[in-house]
């Protein structure tokens, strides 16, 4: 844990310094939060380029870290040194003294740190029985990420091939997992590295989404509310909780300590709590979202400053000369350009939002163009590299599909059931903004701050467009994966909903009560699911003890680039070895748009035995065959079919046969 903590500190330090190039008036904590995300993005990209040339080892990981920290040299310049000292002194001042306001601010952030600590500690843990997860939706995703990580650390997977479909380019955005691999090469444990990164990125998201909401609404209270809406997102599933409670005889505390199921994700509820179904399972989104929201915050400044008729010094060239003033949009664009290898759907969202904002406010076209150039400089080479040699079929990602994952539900009822008061909250927030109804907080010079009436609504329109498109078309081979776009609709909606709740809270007792009820309805189901995970109620075995042992033997007795045949399952022991599989879980392959039918048939035929088995083994250049309980149960594999080959590793019911 200590090694991972030290490494994330240095990564954050380099990114922290870069924030002074793009923002003049942000707080110290915001700079730390953005710094951890920016530093991680830079470390991942720089480290990957070096690993492509020289492979991944401790020296390369260390060199990439040094290059990531180098921007900290900016703080040696008098201009940035004085500003960083000022920010630090101001931040320390907020912690000094014992008044209630300062304590509440500390308690607010401490709550999220403790929550994320408990929650992500359940993402992966190991004991004598094997490797487990406490995430109800992490059973398939944890092995996928471990396969990518160990492929980098132990499989010499450069240039990266898809570890689940050997011979095809690994087109999945893998930077989050590559960062974990870099930490491991510098002495960190895989569990600790993932844990520290997840907690850091999640806390950074809280700080960034809070500041994003304040920028848009002008309300500090709305800012404080917004992370709760995102982290504890859910719908009306809490109704099922009360039904379950009344149907059994336990006390309330006994019942909540042994919750029987999730209440935001099931056959009936498809939205799912963001922590449970997204941030634990999709680490790429956990890194990509805070970076994307940071860029969205900058785009709002460009959009809003033009609307005021005097774009501020953060977005125009007047402050520092005709050309130097474009440095900020260029730097922000360069950072956004890293998204193809971090989280591609986030880049798509930025493209849609930027296109709308440019159409609404074309006068600052030079700023928009500079931002776009910055994005293209990094993103286009990444996209070209990713798309060449991939086995994913683009045609499988786009198609008409009405209602997202509504199944047999009426679409209106589906969204009310799944999101509760989100849609009414958006409408209420938009009305309050349009009516210029403030929430009672003081803006500059003591004047009440309210969002500009049409600007915030226009800024929201691209997010509404994302919601519309995701409800009439599928944007991935598996329609549920539209949630990777829909979650950004929700992120864009959170400021409006938070604004409405904050406005009502500032009013009389009736509105205050209404505000409290609305807030509770919005987060109750999500709170139950997050609590169920964070409290360790789920104990799901991913790999048994023999799978862990056989993986260690495979590492010791086979070359890093060895090709394995195993059952097409998500948790094959080969995952833990970092070796390539001829084919793994069909669910992952399908969701990535890969046509796996022919290979699946060949895997079945090889394990069934007979003369064709030897022929196919030779044709597919398979080096080793794993026979374990999974192969015996799902493919009726028999060890006698492979007795002609030597056994090079064995543990319990696991055997590895050497074919070549």
């Amino acid at each position: 844990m200590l090694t991972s903590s030290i490494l994330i500190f240095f990564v954050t330090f380099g990114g922290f310094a870069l924030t002074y190039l793009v923002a003049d008036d942000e707080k110290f904590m915001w700079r730390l939060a953005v710094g951890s995300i920016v530093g991680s993005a830079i470390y991942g990209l720089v480290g990957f380029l070096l690993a492509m040339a020289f492979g991944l080892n401790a020296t390369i990981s260390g060199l990439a870290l040094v290059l990531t920290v180098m921007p900290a040299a900016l703080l040696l310049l008098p201009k940035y040194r004085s500003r960083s000292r000022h920010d630090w002194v101001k931040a320390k001042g907020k912690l000094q003294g014992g008044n209630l306001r300062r304590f509440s601010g500390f308690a607010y952030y401490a709550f999220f740190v403790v929550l994320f600590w408990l929650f992500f500690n359940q993402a992966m843990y190991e004991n004598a029985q094997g490797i487990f997860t406490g995430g109800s939706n992490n059973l398939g995703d944890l092995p996928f990420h471990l396969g990518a990580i160990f492929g980098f650390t132990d499989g010499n997977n450069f240039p990266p091939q898809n570890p689940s479909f050997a011979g095809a380019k690994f087109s999945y955005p893998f930077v989050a997992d590559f960062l974990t691999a870099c930490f491991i090469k510098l002495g960190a444990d895989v569990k600790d590295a993932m844990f520290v990164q997840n907690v850091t990125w999640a806390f950074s998201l809280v700080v960034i989404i809070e500041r994003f909401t304040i920028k848009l609404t002008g309300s500090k209270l709305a800012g404080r509310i917004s992370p709760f809406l995102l982290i504890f997102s859910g719908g009306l599933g809490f109704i099922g909780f009360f039904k379950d409670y009344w149907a059994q005889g336990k006390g309330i505390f006994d019942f909540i300590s042994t919750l029987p199921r999730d209440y935001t994700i099931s056959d009936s509820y498809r939205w799912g709590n963001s922590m449970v179904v997204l941030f634990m399972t999709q680490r790429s989104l956990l890194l990509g979202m805070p970076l994307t929201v940071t860029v969205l915050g900058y785009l709002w400044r460009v959009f809003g400053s033009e609307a005021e008729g005097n774009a501020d010094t953060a977005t125009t060239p007047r402050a520092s000369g005709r050309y130097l003033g474009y440095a900020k949009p260029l730097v922000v664009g360069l950072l956004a350009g890293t998204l193809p290898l971090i989280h591609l759907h986030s880049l798509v969202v930025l493209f849609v939002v930027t296109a709308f904002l440019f159409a609404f406010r074309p006068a600052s076209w030079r700023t928009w163009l500079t931002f776009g150039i910055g994005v293209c400089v990094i993103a286009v080479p990444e996209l070209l590299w990713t798309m060449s040699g991939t086995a994913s079929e683009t045609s499988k990602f786009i198609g008409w599909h009405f209602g997202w994952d509504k199944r047999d539900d009426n679409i209106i009822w589906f969204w009310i059931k799944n999101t509760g008061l989100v849609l009414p909250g958006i409408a209420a927030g938009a009305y309050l903004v349009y009516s210029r109804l403030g929430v009672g907080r003081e803006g500059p010079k003591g004047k009440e701050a309210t969002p500009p009436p049409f600007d915030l609504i226009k800024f929201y329109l691209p997010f509404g467009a994302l919601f519309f498109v995701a409800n009439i078309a599928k944007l991935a081979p598996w329609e549920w994966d539209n949630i990777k776009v829909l979650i950004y609709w929700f992120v864009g909606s959170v400021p409006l909903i938070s604004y409405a709740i904050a406005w009502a809270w500032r009013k009389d007792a009736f509105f205050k009560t209404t505000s409290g009820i609305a807030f509770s309805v919005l987060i109750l189901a999500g709170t139950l699911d997050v609590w169920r995970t964070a409290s360790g109620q789920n104990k799901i075995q991913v790999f048994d003890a023999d799978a862990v042992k056989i993986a260690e033997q495979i590492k010791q007795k086979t070359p890093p680039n060895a090709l394995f045949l195993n059952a097409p399952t998500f948790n094959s022991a080969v995952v833990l070895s970092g070796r390539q599989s001829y084919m793994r879980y069909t669910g992952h392959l399908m969701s990535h748009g890969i046509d796996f039918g022919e290979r699946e048939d060949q895997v079945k035929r090889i394990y069934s035995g007979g003369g064709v088995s030897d022929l196919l083994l030779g044709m597919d250049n398979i080096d080793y065959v794993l026979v374990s309980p999974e192969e015996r149960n799902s493919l009726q594999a028999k060890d006698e079919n492979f007795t002609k080959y030597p056994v090079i590793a064995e543990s319990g019911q696991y055997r590895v046969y050497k074919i070549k």
Side-chain angles (χ1 to χ4, degrees):
M1 185 75 72
L2 178 60
T3 300
S4 297
S5 300
I6 293 173
L7 291 173
I8 203 70
F9 168 80
F10 281 112
V11 168
T12 300
F13 190 38
F16 169 84
L18 285 174
T19 65
Y20 286 96
L21 295 179
V22 298
D24 297 326
D25 56 352
E26 293 292 354
K27 297 181 179 179
F28 188 80
M29 181 170 287
W30 181 90
R31 295 189 187 280
L32 285 177
V34 173
S36 71
I37 302 302
V38 170
S40 296
I42 294 173
Y43 188 27
L45 184 57
V46 171
F48 175 65
L49 291 174
L50 291 173
M52 285 283 284
F54 306 105
L56 183 63
N57 52 45
T59 301
I60 293 301
S61 296
L63 177 58
L65 182 63
V66 170
L67 294 174
T68 302
V69 176
M70 282 182 64
L74 288 170
L75 301 180
L76 298 176
L77 300 176
K79 174 183 177 181
Y80 299 117
R81 184 170 65 247
S82 62
R83 284 163 57 184
S84 63
R85 286 179 178 175
H86 174 268
D87 291 341
W88 169 242
V89 170
K90 191 174 180 180
K92 283 199 306 181
K94 291 185 176 182
L95 296 176
Q96 295 174 351
N99 61 58
L100 181 61
R101 181 178 178 183
R102 288 175 177 172
F103 176 77
S104 63
F106 173 80
Y108 175 84
Y109 295 114
F111 166 79
F112 283 107
V113 171
V114 173
L115 171 69
F116 296 145
W117 188 282
L118 296 173
F119 184 85
F120 288 111
N121 197 44
Q122 294 296 315
M124 172 186 171
Y125 59 91
E126 188 173 359
N127 56 34
Q129 284 73 49
I131 295 175
F132 291 74
T133 182
S136 58
N137 284 260
N138 202 32
L139 177 61
D141 290 277
L142 176 60
F144 177 82
H145 291 295
L146 290 177
I149 292 167
F150 290 131
F152 292 130
T153 59
D154 297 280
N156 192 30
N157 194 17
F158 299 98
Q161 294 185 39
N162 191 327
S164 300
F165 202 74
K169 180 166 288 185
F170 195 24
S171 55
Y172 179 87
F174 51 74
V175 161
D177 293 330
F178 178 78
L179 282 164
T180 304
C182 289
F183 277 32
I184 293 172
K185 285 298 185 181
L186 291 174
D189 173 78
V190 61
K191 175 188 179 297
D192 291 343
M194 293 175 65
F195 171 77
V196 169
Q197 290 168 352
N198 290 346
V199 171
T200 301
W201 297 340
F203 182 76
S204 297
L205 178 59
V206 165
V207 175
I208 291 168
I209 199 74
E210 177 196 12
R211 182 59 180 158
F212 177 68
T213 301
I214 293 174
K215 285 181 180 180
L216 266 62
T217 66
S219 168
K220 289 184 177 180
L221 179 58
R224 287 295 173 90
I225 292 170
S226 57
F228 284 94
L229 300 184
L230 178 61
I231 298 302
F232 298 107
S233 63
L236 301 182
F238 60 84
I239 296 173
F241 163 78
F242 290 113
K243 288 181 179 179
D244 290 344
Y245 171 67
W246 289 114
Q248 53 82 53
K250 295 181 180 179
I252 185 63
F253 293 108
D254 287 339
F255 182 67
I256 63 174
S257 65
T258 55
L259 291 172
R261 58 191 175 99
D262 286 338
Y263 292 99
T264 66
I265 186 71
S266 64
D267 290 337
S268 299
Y269 294 90
R270 305 304 298 153
W271 179 239
N273 170 261
S274 61
M275 289 281 285
V276 172
V277 305
L278 292 176
F279 297 150
M280 177 181 284
T281 63
Q282 300 183 28
R283 303 184 70 233
S284 296
L285 178 64
L286 187 57
L287 176 58
M289 179 176 285
L291 177 59
T292 303
V293 176
T294 300
V295 176
L296 288 172
Y298 175 80
L299 296 180
W300 165 253
R301 295 191 68 172
V302 177
F303 183 74
S305 62
E306 183 183 337
E308 295 170 5
N310 59 343
D312 69 19
T313 57
T315 61
T316 66
R318 297 181 214 174
S320 53
R322 181 173 179 82
Y323 299 107
L324 291 179
Y326 292 114
K328 290 181 181 179
L330 180 64
V331 172
V332 175
L334 291 171
L335 294 174
T338 63
L339 282 170
L341 294 181
I342 295 176
H343 191 251
L344 183 58
H345 286 81
S346 295
L347 181 66
V348 173
V349 168
L350 281 180
F351 176 81
V352 172
V353 173
T354 305
F356 268 80
L357 298 185
F358 175 74
F360 290 146
R361 301 274 194 253
S364 290
W365 65 270
R366 293 181 179 86
T367 301
W368 297 117
L369 179 61
T370 305
F371 169 75
I373 291 173
V375 174
C376 291
V377 167
I378 304 295
V380 170
E382 290 183 355
L383 289 170
L384 291 175
W385 178 84
T386 301
M387 294 170 62
S388 63
T390 178
S392 300
E393 298 180 17
T394 306
S395 60
K396 293 185 178 182
F397 283 80
I398 303 294
W400 296 111
H401 187 87
F402 180 72
W404 184 41
D405 202 17
K406 71 180 185 65
R407 302 183 181 185
D408 295 328
D409 282 338
N410 172 278
I411 189 169
I412 297 177
W413 168 239
F414 170 80
W415 279 109
I416 292 175
K417 178 177 71 173
N418 275 271
T419 62
L421 297 178
V422 166
L423 295 177
I426 295 170
Y431 171 76
L432 292 172
V433 170
Y434 175 79
S435 303
R436 286 184 174 271
L437 296 176
V439 298
R441 80 122 183 147
E442 289 190 348
K445 299 181 180 179
K447 297 179 180 179
E448 186 180 283
T450 58
F454 288 107
D455 299 332
L456 181 51
I457 294 174
K458 286 183 177 180
F459 188 78
Y460 177 72
L461 286 180
F463 299 98
L466 291 171
F467 178 76
F468 175 77
V469 171
N471 272 279
I472 64 171
K474 66 172 186 175
L475 308 174
W478 181 30
E479 61 270 11
W480 188 84
D481 273 346
N482 275 21
I483 198 170
K484 297 175 182 179
V485 171
L486 286 166
I487 190 63
Y488 279 107
W489 157 72
F490 185 66
V491 167
S493 303
V494 159
L496 288 173
I497 303 169
S498 302
Y499 188 69
I501 294 173
W503 178 87
W505 183 258
R506 298 289 192 184
K507 300 301 176 181
D508 57 28
F510 171 77
F511 280 104
K512 190 182 291 288
T513 301
T514 302
S515 174
I517 293 174
F519 180 72
S520 300
V521 168
L522 285 164
I523 70 167
L524 181 53
T527 299
L528 291 169
D529 284 2
V530 172
W531 161 253
R532 184 169 183 247
T533 300
S535 59
Q537 295 182 35
N538 300 314
K539 295 177 175 61
I540 305 168
Q541 188 176 53
V542 185
F543 299 97
D544 61 31
D546 284 327
V548 177
K549 293 175 183 177
I550 199 74
E552 286 301 316
Q553 294 183 43
I554 291 173
K555 288 181 183 181
Q556 297 170 9
K557 299 179 180 181
T558 67
N561 60 348
L563 177 59
F564 272 74
L565 183 74
N566 51 263
T569 183
F570 54 87
N571 61 342
S572 171
V574 179
V575 166
L576 300 176
S577 71
R579 276 34 175 186
Q580 294 281 312
S581 287
Y582 183 63
M583 178 181 172
R584 288 183 195 162
Y585 184 43
T586 57
H588 290 154
L589 300 177
M590 181 273 294
S591 66
H592 297 161
I594 296 175
D595 184 357
F596 55 82
E598 183 178 350
R599 283 200 187 185
E600 184 179 29
D601 179 65
Q602 290 180 352
V603 170
K604 293 177 180 178
R605 294 170 70 184
I606 291 173
Y607 275 111
S608 67
V612 70
S613 174
D614 294 335
L615 178 63
L616 291 174
L617 283 171
M619 289 175 57
D620 297 323
N621 294 314
I622 292 169
D623 299 308
Y624 300 90
V625 172
L626 173 68
V627 179
S628 73
E630 181 62 35
E631 284 76 20
R632 297 186 185 99
N633 294 332
S634 64
L635 298 173
Q636 289 74 52
K638 298 180 180 179
D639 288 85
E640 50 262 34
N641 293 336
F642 303 98
T643 53
K644 68 181 73 174
Y645 302 111
V647 175
I648 60 101
E650 184 174 6
S651 180
Q653 298 186 58
Y654 289 75
R655 291 184 181 86
V656 175
Y657 294 92
K658 183 178 180 180
I659 306 303
K660 290 184 179 180

